[in-house]
Amino acid sequence: MLKILDENGNVNPVLEPELRGDELIQMYKFMVFSRVADEKAFSLQREGRMGTYAQLKGQEAAQVGSSYALREMDWIFPSYRDLGAMIVRGLPLEYIYLYWMGNEEGSRIPEDVNVFPLSVPVGSQIPIGVGFSNAIKLDEGNAVTVVYFGDGATSEGDFHEGMNWAGVFKTPTVFFCENNQWAISVPRNKQTASKTISQKASAYGFKGIQVDGNDLLAVYSATKEAVEKAQKGEGPTLVEAYTYRMSDHTTADDSGRYRNESEIKKWVEQDPIKRFKLYLELKGLLDNSLDDKIRKETGQMVDNAVKKAEACPAPKPEDIFKYTYAEMPDHLQEQLDELEDSIG
Amino acid sequence: MPVLNIVEAVNMALREEMQRDKRVVILGEDVGVNGGVFRATVGLQEEFGNKRVIDTPILENGIVGCAIGMAVYGLRPVVEIQFMGFIYYILNHIISHAARLRTRSRGRYTVPLVIRAPYGAGIRAPEHHSESTEAIFAHIPGIKVVVSSTPRDTKGLLISAIRDPDPTIFLEPKRIYRALKGDVPDEEYTIPLGKARIVREGKDLSIICWGAMVMVAEAVANEAINDGLDIEIIDLRTLSPLDKDAVISSVEKTGRALVIHEAPKTGGLGAEIVALINEKALLYLKAPVLRVTGQDVAVPLSQAEDYYIPSVARVLNALRDIMAF
């Protein structure tokens, strides 16, 4: 397993990636932002201001490290738990909040943001991302596509088919698996008999690498290398980020039914934000006053996103009909008219 | 004007669209070197290369998943599924992504994708090669479902489907793939999706049908002349969205209707059409609307498949019941 930072924030100097101080601070800010945004979503749900929400707590290094390694032109195809990756790629937080608040406007991704709307059916975004990267290759473009999914998704046929396709056609794809040890209540060892998830890549004829998913630098380095390889036409890579879902599966789940506190406690000690903070402190890039400032600013940004999302008007009846086809067919117009009549 | 069969008309449509629009790519099992199991793509890889006519591994679900990604990117993929019996693998990608991406992203991402599949029984094919399950697809909002019944229509409808900005399931009646020949104009033309064709005008009864059943309806209409009956035949051509006006105005004229489809009866599109007539033209009816359909059973193997498919005799019986009402 690739590891660059240990639990105490000590770096392996041989493997330390070349990143400027401001870049390291920016990555830290993204991780803190993801954590605060995640906690805020949880409380919004509890207050009845948001629907069911899928939490990411514990996976900040996996999401931020991988998405930060991408270039402007690259694309991501996220799963429902990838708020952190989507934020790093430039999707404003209010979009993600709006989606979980039950408004499709949240998936009207801005034109200049290379993010596919998050996918709910597990693993189904994998072939779509692969096909997209195949199109990039046919079009002789330079962009690379990263598809995000969890350990549970590796049991789906879509994972197999996407990996197979990418291997056969050598598409510029990075398969990024956030192995968070749990697929709702099913543990990783009941998901597959494979020793690691990364080893599955060899069956498809390309490289897989397992990295410490709570080590921001390891995730960043492995993803960057995979992107460079894809961009050179050398095909796909499977990156397995070995991490942990510290929260329940979603706000509707109670993980106390299937896992014990001591396991969670062990992983809380491995908190990816804490580890990176220690590294930044050792490097002299971060102290308590800067950290306080970052957290205060982050809180304001998140509150601002909540305000924007809540200020977005609710959909009108016509909104559910008019985007079903490019042109609204007669039968939908009829249904819209009937609905509007009933509303008065 | 060339006289072609339906397979050749498919080939001509694909070739012309690939020449016209370099975004059009073909994906499927055996579509390249082999030219397709029915030879619908024959010669296309030679002309357009293996980057535009792509032989894929055997993964129907994966082909459609990848094709959705290609369509989102901006290509115009045309996928061949070898037989409708193998189309069920793709349902999740059609329902969860292709059909809803436009609306779930409020128009930001769209899926201009065509999935072609030969459908239907009547050629003594092996098990799973004779399905006619178009109602499953017509039930899904956000996609279009097209069934051609003549060589000329096949070319015009397929070109429209390829140019359409939304995903389309394009079903080809393999029972008459080669049996039916007809004039197909060389020049570019399209036939609009969502518009039915009046195959034959009549005043006594409207037969509403599509695909291979159009031929059965024509045979029935010819027989019915002996009974002194003048039958109108409507070929729907597009099952979703349905050309309601064509059905209603025909029924308003004749006052009697009969739906023929090869798919099973229960929950089939015949029920939808009967409901439509009930909603819009009930007072024009002189008799109940009947359906002659495939049976509510798995399509039998070849020795018994004729018990399954609507026959001229079954349709004539239903027609006489309506006239005697």
Side-chain angles (χ1 to χ4, degrees), chain B residues 154-176:
Chain B
T154 297
K155 179 179 165 186
L157 289 168
L158 182 53
I159 290 177
S160 291
I162 294 169
R163 295 181 189 179
D164 197 89
D166 290 307
T168 304
I169 306 287
F170 192 90
L171 301 174
E172 299 160 7
K174 66 175 175 293
R175 185 182 181 189
I176 51 172

Side-chain angles (χ1 to χ4, degrees), chain A residues 75 77 99 103-121 123-141 157-158 160-162 164-165 168-169 315 319-327 329-331 334, chain B residues 22 25 27-28 50-52 54-75 89 92-93 96-109 140-144 164-167 195 240-242 244-245 276 279-280:
Chain A
W75 278 79
F77 286 68
Y99 172 81
N103 190 333
E104 283 87 347
E105 286 295 334
S107 295
R108 191 201 288 263
I109 313 289
E111 287 288 337
D112 58 344
V113 174
N114 292 354
V115 172
F116 191 73
L118 65 84
S119 288
V120 175
S124 63
Q125 70 280 14
I126 298 172
I128 299 178
V130 171
F132 190 93
S133 61
N134 199 346
I136 293 170
K137 183 175 176 173
L138 293 171
D139 201 26
E140 295 172 1
D158 274 332
H160 164 68
E161 295 185 36
N164 192 52
W165 187 289
V168 169
F169 294 107
D319 292 332
I320 73 164
F321 294 100
K322 73 179 183 189
Y323 299 103
T324 299
Y325 297 92
E327 271 180 58
D330 293 346
H331 70 286
E334 213 173 278
Chain B
K22 66 178 175 46
V25 294
L27 303 150
N50 61 10
K51 287 185 174 173
R52 292 187 64 199
I54 301 169
D55 273 323
T56 70
I58 302 184
L59 68 179
E60 289 80 6
N61 166 71
I63 299 171
V64 173
C66 288
I68 291 170
M70 290 181 175
V72 169
Y73 180 84
L75 300 183
Y89 294 97
N92 183 48
H93 275 290
S96 301
H97 294 291
R100 63 187 297 147
L101 192 54
R102 178 187 291 279
T103 192
R104 76 185 294 258
S105 70
R106 290 296 183 251
R108 165 71 167 93
Y109 294 107
I140 305 168
I143 65 170
K144 296 180 180 178
D164 197 89
D166 290 307
K195 291 282 173 226
S240 176
L242 213 53
K244 293 184 176 187
D245 292 345
L276 168 69
E279 285 169 7
K280 308 274 184 185

Side-chain angles (χ1 to χ4, degrees), chain A residues 278-293:
Chain A
L278 289 169
Y279 164 70
L280 293 178
E281 285 169 354
L282 287 171
K283 273 186 97 76
L285 290 168
L286 185 72
D287 57 22
N288 282 341
S289 79
L290 179 57
D291 193 40
D292 288 346
K293 185 166 167 271

